[in-house]
């Protein structure tokens, strides 16, 4: 079986981080060195979070999705939903694993600063305005109309990437791959059940729901 010996961030992502996140981190470092408060704008906070978590979350999600590809060699998701996307680690991991097969990514992130950073890293346009907390579960109901995406994507071409502050309607085409990577652990039990149900309702027939969760002694 295939294995991942050593994972690296994609070069495009490293370049985007150097362009969009590193200047914010340097600004914060200079402020601290001068004895001033570190900038606390949503974009500065998002850059701090990305510097602490993006590489680890990317590596863990890459390993999980790689395992799916090895076990299901004929599975090639065209439409991907990244729930609680943060700066987009799971979206980048899906592209790294399946490459040109991925045509369309919908990244759902309620935090405006994180959504803005993720969109800049991916070169995407922003969706609707920011909402707080579990509002990304709003409008989770709806009729189940399952459909997978179609078409093709040339090698090296970036997929369509859309950033939203909440889950898309179930009236939209469903997703071959729905990923919740390190985004469910902060939800209370009732919201967790609602989230998992809403995510499953958006999985296309024959698709996958992939969940990555921080390890604890008690397990998930």
């Amino acid at each position: 079986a295939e294995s991942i010996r050593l994972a690296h961030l994609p070069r495009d992502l490293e370049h985007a981080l150097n362009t969009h996140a590193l200047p914010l981190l340097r600004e914060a470092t200079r402020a601290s060195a001068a004895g001033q408060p570190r900038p606390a704008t949503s974009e500065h906070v998002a850059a701090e979070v990305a510097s602490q978590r993006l590489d680890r979350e990317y590596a863990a999600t890459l390993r999980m999705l790689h395992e799916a590809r090895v076990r299901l060699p004929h599975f090639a998701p065209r439409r991907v939903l990244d729930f609680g996307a943060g700066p987009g680690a799971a979206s980048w991991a899906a592209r790294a694993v399946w490459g040109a097969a991925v045509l369309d990514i919908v990244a759902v992130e309620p935090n405006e600063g994180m959504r803005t950073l993720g969109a800049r890293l991916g070169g995407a346009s922003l969706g609707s305005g920011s909402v707080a907390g579990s509002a990304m579960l709003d409008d989770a109901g709806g009729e189940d109309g399952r459909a997978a995406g179609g078409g093709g994507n040339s090698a090296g071409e970036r997929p369509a990437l859309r950033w939203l502050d909440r889950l898309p309607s179930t009236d939209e085409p469903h997703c071959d791959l729905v990923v919740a990577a390190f985004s469910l652990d902060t939800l209370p039990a009732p919201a967790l059940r609602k989230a998992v149900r809403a995510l499953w309702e958006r999985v296309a027939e024959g698709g996958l729901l992939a969940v990555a969760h921080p390890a604890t002694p008690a397990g998930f």
Side-chain angles (χ1 to χ4, degrees):
E2 298 180 40
S3 62
I4 301 177
R5 296 184 181 276
L6 184 64
H8 298 277
L9 291 179
R11 290 182 180 179
D12 285 352
L13 178 54
E14 287 188 347
H15 176 74
L17 287 167
N18 289 336
T19 301
H20 299 292
L22 187 58
L24 297 172
L25 297 173
R26 285 174 172 167
E27 182 182 350
T29 300
R30 286 194 297 268
S32 295
Q36 300 173 353
R38 295 176 71 88
T41 68
S42 61
E43 292 187 17
H44 284 87
V45 173
E48 294 272 6
V49 172
S51 71
Q52 298 166 9
R53 297 177 52 179
L54 190 148
D55 57 343
R56 290 175 290 177
E57 293 184 359
Y58 172 83
T61 308
L62 180 73
R63 176 67 181 85
M64 174 178 66
L65 299 182
H66 172 81
E67 184 70 19
R69 185 174 69 83
V70 171
R71 291 172 178 264
L72 301 169
H74 300 296
F75 176 71
R78 294 177 174 179
R79 183 173 171 84
V80 176
L81 173 63
D82 182 0
F83 177 76
S91 299
W92 284 91
R95 289 176 53 196
V97 171
W98 284 287
V102 178
L103 299 172
D104 184 22
I105 297 175
V106 179
V108 178
E109 172 54 50
N111 182 276
E112 182 178 8
M114 200 69 72
R115 193 169 64 250
T116 298
L117 177 61
R120 288 175 177 169
L121 296 179
S125 59
L126 287 171
S128 56
S130 175
V131 293
S134 61
M136 59 182 172
L137 300 177
D138 286 356
D139 304 322
E143 296 184 1
D144 186 10
R146 294 172 181 254
N153 195 9
S154 60
E157 181 182 345
R158 289 191 175 188
L161 176 56
R162 188 162 48 118
W163 282 80
L164 303 175
D165 59 11
R166 65 189 67 203
L167 283 171
S169 168
T170 52
D171 292 333
E172 292 194 25
H174 285 55
C175 297
D176 306 301
L177 174 66
V178 176
V179 184
F182 306 99
S183 58
L184 298 177
D185 52 297
T186 60
L187 298 178
L192 175 60
R193 288 191 291 270
K194 180 180 179 182
V196 173
R197 182 167 55 250
L199 295 177
W200 182 247
E201 288 173 350
R202 287 161 174 79
V203 178
E205 185 174 353
L208 291 179
L209 171 60
V211 177
H213 196 74
T216 68
F220 177 57

